[in-house]
Amino acid sequence: MTQFAKLYGGSLYDLAVEEGADGAILDQLEGCLALLRDNPDYLKLLSTPSVPKKERCGLLDQALRGSVHQYLLNFLKILCERGQLRQLSQCAEAYRQKYNAAHGIVEATAVSAVALTDDQALRLRQKLEAVTGKQIRLRCKVDPAVLGGIRLDIDGTELDGTVRSRLDGLRSAIGAATL
């Protein structure tokens, strides 16, 4: 994450907290990210230097006025004016990190060979919350290469209970054994 993103995303969070709208702005920020991700041509248009800044900001205003908080709209306009709109995802990550830290939320990713059912994901999240004492925001991913079991990434710490890692461990142990 760039210093620019940390500074701007963190500043947006600080402003949102003062307004008491940190949760709402986070949701809207993620919605804006999805909008730009789903419409890459719109992002390209908003990042084109040959289009005057005033027109680009006007396009943002037309698209988002009334549907997002004024602070978020102004934030997007500032990024657009400075030609930094492509850093929005990193700014959102900085915002999310500050939000999570302030609200005792830990992000976790579970990787399994097959998709976890809703019940399995709920039980895993509840177990992680009981162990950590914090609220867990769990994302589940599927990677057939793990073969079985589950790999967890919790706040930068990886816990690997996959069949793949156990097989790799066996290979290493067999390879290191001398006869």
Side-chain angles (χ1 to χ4, degrees), residues 7-51:
L7 176 66
Y8 278 70
S11 297
L12 177 62
Y13 177 77
D14 294 341
L15 201 58
V17 167
E18 286 179 17
E19 186 70 20
D22 53 334
I25 289 179
L26 176 61
D27 293 340
Q28 294 170 3
L29 184 56
E30 289 174 351
C32 289
L33 278 172
L35 175 77
L36 293 174
R37 192 176 16 256
D38 294 343
N39 299 290
D41 290 338
Y42 188 60
L43 176 61
K44 187 176 179 181
L45 174 66
L46 294 172
S47 302
T48 303
S50 61
V51 177

Side-chain angles (χ1 to χ4, degrees), residues 55-66:
E55 286 182 37
R56 288 184 277 154
C57 289
L59 291 171
L60 276 172
D61 207 32
Q62 282 179 324
L64 300 173
R65 180 168 297 285

Side-chain angles (χ1 to χ4, degrees), residues 20-155:
D22 53 334
I25 289 179
L26 176 61
D27 293 340
Q28 294 170 3
L29 184 56
E30 289 174 351
C32 289
L33 278 172
L35 175 77
L36 293 174
R37 192 176 16 256
D38 294 343
N39 299 290
D41 290 338
Y42 188 60
L43 176 61
K44 187 176 179 181
L45 174 66
L46 294 172
S47 302
T48 303
S50 61
V51 177
K53 291 178 186 178
K54 190 173 183 176
E55 286 182 37
R56 288 184 277 154
C57 289
L59 291 171
L60 276 172
D61 207 32
Q62 282 179 324
L64 300 173
R65 180 168 297 285
S67 60
V68 298
H69 195 282
Q70 188 62 42
Y71 286 169
L72 178 56
L73 180 57
N74 290 341
F75 177 75
L76 293 170
K77 287 179 183 180
I78 290 169
L79 291 182
C80 187
E81 286 174 352
R82 295 178 185 236
Q84 299 292 328
L85 204 53
R86 293 191 186 274
Q87 291 208 41
L88 181 61
S89 63
Q90 289 184 33
C91 291
E93 180 62 28
Y95 185 101
R96 191 177 307 107
Q97 285 177 358
K98 287 189 85 168
Y99 179 87
N100 288 350
H103 291 88
I105 298 171
V106 175
E107 296 205 9
T109 302
V111 180
S112 58
V114 295
L116 297 177
T117 64
D118 290 341
D119 183 52
Q120 290 171 326
L122 175 65
R123 286 186 295 148
L124 177 60
R125 185 179 56 77
Q126 289 172 338
K127 181 70 172 177
L128 291 172
E129 286 176 348
V131 170
T132 62
K134 297 190 176 201
Q135 182 180 347
I136 300 291
R137 181 170 291 148
L138 182 65
R139 280 181 293 170
C140 297
K141 293 183 179 179
V142 175
D143 181 4
V146 301
L147 301 177
I150 194 164
R151 182 177 62 232
L152 289 172
D153 180 13
I154 303 172
D155 219 18

